[in-house]
């Protein structure tokens, strides 16, 4: 792919034909669809094709509903409708049918013509052809009914018209376009949200003076100051100061990382309580955030449309229908009974009408709509039709750890007391000390003590020992909580507790020693708890032949421990966002169909790169906007359900395509007059329209069956 497509600020492309790239908005020369920006900035005009299609749909529906009621009048109230209107009935239907057909369906006519001109026949070719034939035939039947023989007339002597058929096709296809465009319009929302993460300004230090400048004024090598609570403006290196930085938007890990001189910091991460002075190393499009933006936009643009099956059928179906209609008309005009021209027209119109693809516009959208409703009831939200289609072929599921397999927040796990101490006493002392700390691990200990009904004592002389832990005096006793170095500093021999700490670490816990008055009192562990449903979900996925791989920014020991507990097949630890996307891309290059499940901003590139992205509903909005599927409750069992639903939906769509084409295809030989030598009768266009309508009813009824499928 060309570089200007990969990083195409100001470039526009076609969602169905991504090889088309333009420097300005317009229409695709192949299919006529409106071009979309390659990289959404949030400043695009939201009133484009979506607003136009929505307006056309509502206006068309306004005319089509009374038109259908008028056309069905004889069925509803009997012959009184024909008696009341007489020959003006067709005129009334012409008046009601023309606006939705010509104005509402105009974009489809444009696309149909473009598809013929560029020899790229697709669904719009069929829709444009079917609507045009039905409308033109009906107009002629209305303004010049005398041209038609008696075989065209009903019992009232009127020539049947099909304005309601053409108008209904246009209105239903417009509805499908509105649904599709709304889903596509949200593609840029994830990119816009990512762009908004970056701060608008930065504090630049020059000649010892602080000055606030816009972010685009920051250059490589500038010295910047990051105040407490502020966002890090760009990627760079800390040159002075010490603070905890919340990097969860990059690493996905809830525990802030301690930053001091020499450490790297990433733009848009959030500084804690300390002041940092940093050097700008990467600015503008070189920052990690900008790279994530481009990766999300690029991967979202690369998905294949679900209509490819219908389009491939259309490639031979449309020419076949046209050829049959022309050959049949020519044969009747040459050797048919008198009046030859009228019979030729009758045959040609019957062939085209019975092959009219009204059900094709419903075949896929109806099944998808029902499937999405079914999925929503199961806590599985599909963002687009492509996800429903592709899930059935998934053989590899890549999952993030934090927030996907685990709860996404650290919590107290174990308290192992040393001989001579009680677990409650150890936890009470530790929580008393940690009440003075704002670290997430400290908050987990305090919350855990509260949940267990333990009242912490009163801490005095609190001190944070850099790189070691914390100390305080609690109810007159000296308490220390931290690592081995802190225990050595206070003179506590932890030999008897070392094995317990190692065992906790192999379970994926963060283990901390507690000493009271210089004596080893116990070990406390904090961890991000695995969701109760995770193990069951992995088993269900394995039963469906899906291999599960963990990608996480966490360390290898913790990741490996979690993987062993839940049955993960493979683990990649200590990976960054771009590495996650690269691993997904490599799996795809190896021939795998990959789904990615994650919950954080750091997962967005991999979610977008995967064949299907699956976001936890408990995660970030950006993850959900980058994904094709959202699990409302963050329950991985929903993935197994979604895959089963995908299989059922695609079976249903294939059945619908049979109904859309099967009845009409079987009726084409009859419409062409092959039964005339045996029966002496030609198929009336009204019967052809009935067969066409029956195929639509079959499609709708079959699609609704999905609501009762057990998933």
């Amino acid at each position: 792919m060309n570089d200007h497509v990969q990083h195409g600020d100001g470039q526009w492309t076609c969602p169905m034909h991504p090889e088309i790239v333009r420097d300005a908005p317009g229409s695709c020369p192949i299919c006529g669809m409106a071009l979309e920006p390659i990289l959404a900035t949030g400043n695009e005009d939201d009133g484009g094709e979506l607003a136009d299609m929505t307006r056309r749909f509502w206006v068309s529906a306004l005319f089509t509903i009374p038109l259908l009621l008028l056309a069905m009048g004889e069925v509803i109230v009997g012959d009184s409708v024909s008696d009341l209107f007489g020959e003006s009935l067709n005129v009334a239907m012409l008046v009601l049918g023309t606006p939705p057909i010509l104005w509402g369906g105009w974009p489809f006519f444009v696309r149909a013509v473009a598809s013929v001109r560029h020899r790229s026949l697709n669904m719009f070719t069929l829709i444009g052809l079917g609507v045009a034939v039905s409308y033109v035939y009906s107009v002629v039947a209305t303004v010049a009914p005398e041209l038609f023989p008696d075989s065209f007339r009903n019992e009232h002597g009127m020539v049947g018209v099909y304005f309601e058929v053409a108008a209904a096709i246009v209105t239903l296809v417009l509805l499908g376009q509105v649904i599709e465009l709304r889903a596509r319009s949200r593609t840029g929302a994830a990119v816009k949200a990512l762009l908004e993460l970056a701060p608008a300004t930065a504090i630049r230090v020059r000649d010892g003076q602080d000055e606030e400048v816009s972010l685009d004024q920051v250059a490589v090598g500038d010295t910047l100051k990051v105040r407490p609570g502020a966002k890090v403006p760009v990627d760079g290196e800390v040159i002075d100061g010490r603070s905890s930085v919340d990097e969860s938007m990059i690493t996905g890990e809830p525990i802030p990382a301690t930053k001091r001189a020499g450490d790297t910091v990433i733009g848009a991460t959030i500084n804690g309580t300390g002041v940092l002075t940093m050097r700008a190393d990467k600015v503008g499009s070189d920052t990690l955030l900008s790279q994530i933006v481009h990766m999300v936009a690029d991967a979202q643009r690369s998905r294949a449309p679900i209509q490819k099956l219908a389009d491939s059928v259309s490639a031979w179906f449309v020419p076949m229908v046209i050829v049959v209609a022309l050959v049949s008309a020519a044969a009747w005009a040459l050797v048919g009974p008198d009046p030859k021209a009228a019979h030729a027209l009758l045959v040609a119109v019957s062939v085209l009408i019975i092959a009219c693809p009204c059900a094709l516009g419903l075949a896929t959208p109806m099944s998808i709509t029902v499937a999405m409703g079914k999925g929503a009831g199961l806590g599985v939200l599909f963002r687009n039709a492509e996800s429903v289609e592709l899930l059935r072929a998934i053989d590899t599921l890549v999952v993030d750890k934090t927030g996907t397999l685990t709860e996404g927040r650290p919590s107290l796990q174990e308290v192992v007391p040393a001989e001579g101490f009680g677990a409650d006493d150890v936890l009470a002392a530790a929580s008393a000390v940690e009440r003075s700390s704002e670290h997430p691990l400290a908050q987990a200990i305090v919350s855990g003590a509260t949940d267990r009904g333990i009242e912490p004592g009163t801490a005095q002389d609190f001190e944070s020992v850099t790189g070691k832990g914390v100390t305080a005096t609690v109810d007159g006793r000296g308490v220390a909580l931290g690592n081995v170095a802190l225990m050595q500093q206070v003179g506590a021999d932890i030999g008897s507790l070392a094995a317990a700490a190692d065992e906790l670490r192999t379970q994926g816990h963060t283990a901390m020693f507690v000493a009271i008055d210089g004596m080893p009192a116990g070990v406390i562990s904090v961890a991000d708890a695995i969701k109760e449903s995770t193990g069951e979900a992995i088993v269900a996925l394995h039963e469906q032949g899906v291999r599960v791989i963990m990608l996480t920014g966490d360390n290898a020991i913790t990741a490996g421990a979690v993987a062993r507990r839940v049955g993960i097949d493979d683990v990649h630890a200590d990976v960054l966002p771009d590495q996650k996307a690269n691993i997904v891309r490599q799996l795809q290059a190896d021939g795998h169909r990959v789904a990615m499940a994650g919950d954080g901003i750091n997962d967005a590139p991999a979610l977008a790169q995967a064949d299907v992205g699956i976001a936890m509903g408990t995660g970030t909005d950006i993850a959900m906007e980058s994904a094709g599927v959202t699990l409302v409750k963050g329950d991985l069992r929903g993935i197994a359900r979604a895959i089963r639903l995908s299989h059922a939906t695609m079976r249903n769509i294939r059945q619908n395509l049979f109904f859309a084409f099967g009845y009409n295809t079987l009726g084409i030989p009859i419409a062409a007059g092959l039964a005339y030598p045996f029966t002496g009768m030609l198929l009336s266009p009204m019967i052809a329209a009935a067969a066409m309508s029956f195929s639509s009813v079959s499609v709708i009824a079959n699609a609704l069956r999905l609501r009762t499928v057990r998933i």
Side-chain angles (χ1 to χ4, degrees):
M1 185 175 291
N2 294 333
D3 183 67
H4 72 279
V5 178
Q6 289 250 1
H7 304 285
D9 301 40
Q11 298 287 331
W12 300 71
T13 187
C14 173
M16 291 186 67
H17 301 91
E19 70 274 14
I20 300 299
V21 178
R22 297 290 184 268
D23 294 328
S27 299
C28 174
I30 297 177
C31 65
M33 295 185 71
L35 301 180
E36 297 180 350
I38 287 178
L39 181 60
T41 64
N43 299 319
E44 296 81 22
D45 177 18
D46 293 330
E49 188 180 22
L50 173 58
D52 180 56
M53 288 293 184
T54 302
R55 183 168 53 250
R56 290 178 190 272
F57 165 72
W58 286 114
V59 172
S60 297
L62 186 66
F63 282 92
T64 300
I65 292 174
L67 178 61
L68 289 172
L69 293 175
L70 193 61
M72 298 172 61
E74 293 186 10
V75 177
I76 298 173
V77 299
D79 295 342
S80 57
V81 173
S82 297
D83 296 337
L84 176 63
F85 286 93
E87 294 184 358
S88 63
L89 177 61
N90 287 358
V91 176
M93 297 181 74
L94 170 62
V95 172
L96 285 172
T98 297
I101 295 170
L102 294 188
W103 180 77
W106 181 253
F108 306 141
F109 294 133
V110 172
R111 294 173 187 179
V113 171
S115 69
V116 174
R117 182 186 303 122
H118 295 280
R119 300 178 183 178
S120 178
L121 303 184
N122 52 40
M123 191 183 87
F124 295 115
T125 315
L126 293 171
I127 293 170
L129 176 64
V131 172
V133 169
S134 299
Y135 179 72
V136 171
Y137 165 81
S138 300
V139 170
V140 175
T142 300
V143 301
E146 67 277 2
L147 298 178
F148 295 84
D150 291 340
S151 59
F152 282 76
R153 301 178 184 277
N154 58 24
E155 62 271 20
H156 300 286
M158 298 173 58
V159 179
V161 295
Y162 308 100
F163 292 112
E164 79 281 4
V165 173
I169 293 172
V170 168
T171 304
L172 290 170
V173 176
L174 281 171
L175 176 60
Q177 289 293 294
V178 169
I179 294 173
E180 179 184 344
L181 287 167
R182 283 182 177 172
R184 288 214 315 266
S185 69
R186 296 181 61 191
T187 297
V191 176
K192 179 181 178 182
L194 283 169
L195 291 169
E196 290 176 347
L197 287 175
T201 61
I203 304 298
R204 185 167 59 192
V205 181
R206 283 189 174 177
D207 300 325
Q209 300 294 318
D210 296 350
E211 58 175 338
E212 187 172 5
V213 298
S214 63
L215 199 62
D216 57 10
Q217 291 181 266
V218 176
V220 174
D222 281 351
T223 299
L224 308 175
K225 180 178 290 185
V226 187
R227 294 170 177 168
K231 290 183 177 180
V232 176
V234 295
D235 297 358
E237 181 179 318
V238 176
I239 56 179
D240 188 35
R242 183 177 183 276
S243 182
S244 294
V245 177
D246 181 359
E247 295 184 328
S248 59
M249 59 84 65
I250 295 297
T251 65
E253 300 306 317
I255 302 174
T258 301
K259 299 293 182 179
R260 54 178 64 85
D263 292 336
T264 58
V265 286
I266 301 171
T269 56
I270 302 174
N271 185 27
T273 57
V275 177
L276 295 176
T277 303
M278 61 171 290
R279 181 185 67 248
D281 292 337
K282 295 181 179 179
V283 302
S285 61
D286 292 330
T287 64
L288 182 58
L289 178 62
S290 293
Q291 293 173 18
I292 291 175
V293 168
H294 282 287
M295 284 189 289
V296 171
D298 186 52
Q300 285 177 330
R301 191 169 64 246
S302 66
R303 290 172 178 154
I306 197 171
Q307 289 294 346
K308 60 181 180 294
L309 178 59
D311 286 347
S312 63
V313 174
S314 303
W316 60 264
F317 185 78
V318 175
M320 182 195 75
V321 170
I322 296 174
V323 169
V324 171
L326 292 176
V327 170
S328 301
W332 279 90
L334 292 174
V335 300
D338 292 328
K340 289 183 173 59
H343 283 107
L345 177 62
L346 170 67
V347 168
V349 170
S350 294
V351 169
L352 289 172
I353 287 181
I354 203 168
C356 180
C358 60
L360 181 60
L362 292 171
T364 294
M366 275 298 299
S367 295
I368 293 297
T369 300
V370 175
M372 287 181 173
K374 176 81 172 178
L378 298 172
V380 180
L381 301 181
F382 292 98
R383 177 167 164 250
N384 50 42
E386 289 85 350
S387 300
V388 181
E389 178 192 21
L390 295 174
L391 260 178
R392 79 191 195 283
I394 294 301
D395 59 37
T396 302
L397 173 65
V398 174
V399 295
D400 177 47
K401 180 181 72 70
T402 304
T404 303
L405 300 175
T406 65
E407 297 289 352
R409 56 183 182 273
S411 60
L412 179 66
Q413 297 295 308
E414 301 284 349
V415 179
V416 181
E419 186 177 352
F421 291 88
D424 289 352
D425 292 336
V426 173
L427 183 55
S431 61
V433 176
E434 295 289 34
R435 288 180 66 180
S436 301
S437 173
E438 296 181 356
H439 196 282
L441 294 182
Q443 296 172 7
I445 292 173
V446 173
S447 297
T450 302
D451 292 342
R452 299 187 185 192
I454 295 175
E455 288 293 333
T458 301
Q460 297 176 331
D461 303 325
F462 174 83
E463 181 182 358
S464 176
V465 183
T466 302
K468 297 180 181 180
V470 292
T471 62
T473 301
V474 179
D475 297 333
R477 297 188 299 174
V479 179
L481 175 66
N483 57 20
V484 174
L486 182 62
M487 295 299 103
Q488 292 174 342
Q489 180 175 316
V490 299
D493 182 4
I494 59 166
S496 60
L497 296 174
D502 289 340
E503 175 62 25
L504 291 171
R505 293 189 184 104
T506 61
Q507 297 175 24
H509 297 193
T510 297
M512 293 165 282
F513 296 101
V514 179
I516 298 178
D517 287 336
M519 297 292 295
V523 178
I524 293 179
S525 73
V526 173
D528 192 2
I530 297 173
K531 294 178 181 178
E532 294 182 2
S533 61
T534 296
E536 181 183 341
I538 300 300
V539 171
L541 289 164
H542 283 162
E543 290 175 350
Q544 294 184 7
V546 178
R547 180 185 178 213
V548 184
I549 299 174
M550 181 198 297
L551 299 187
T552 178
D554 205 349
N555 65 76
I557 295 177
T558 301
V562 172
R564 287 189 296 274
R565 287 182 60 184
V566 299
I568 297 291
D569 298 301
D570 196 7
V571 178
H572 294 267
D574 299 308
V575 294
L576 292 176
D578 57 336
Q579 295 172 322
K580 289 185 179 182
N582 288 337
I583 292 172
V584 170
R585 192 177 296 112
Q586 183 58 52
L587 288 168
Q588 292 170 324
D590 292 339
H592 295 288
R593 302 301 293 270
V594 183
M596 167 70 188
D599 77 323
I601 296 170
N602 63 301
D603 300 315
L607 288 170
Q609 175 62 42
D611 295 285
V612 180
I614 303 171
M616 302 294 109
T618 51
T620 65
D621 290 340
I622 292 173
M624 286 182 274
E625 291 294 349
S626 301
V629 179
T630 296
L631 305 182
V632 176
K633 299 178 181 179
D635 188 342
L636 279 180
R637 290 174 297 186
I639 299 178
R641 297 190 188 103
I643 293 175
R644 288 193 291 267
L645 181 58
S646 173
H647 281 284
T649 303
M650 295 312 298
R651 284 195 303 269
N652 193 268
I653 288 176
R654 286 192 292 270
Q655 294 163 358
N656 283 350
L657 290 173
F658 168 78
F659 290 131
F661 288 106
Y663 291 123
N664 302 20
T665 302
L666 291 174
I668 287 176
I670 300 175
L674 293 184
Y676 183 83
F678 309 102
T679 64
M681 296 177 60
L682 286 175
L683 182 67
S684 167
M686 289 183 289
I687 302 300
M692 178 178 60
S693 299
F694 182 69
S695 67
S696 295
V697 173
S698 301
V699 164
I700 294 171
N702 187 59
L704 292 176
R705 288 194 313 108
L706 274 174
R707 295 189 300 185
T708 61
V709 173
R710 298 189 64 180
I711 303 298

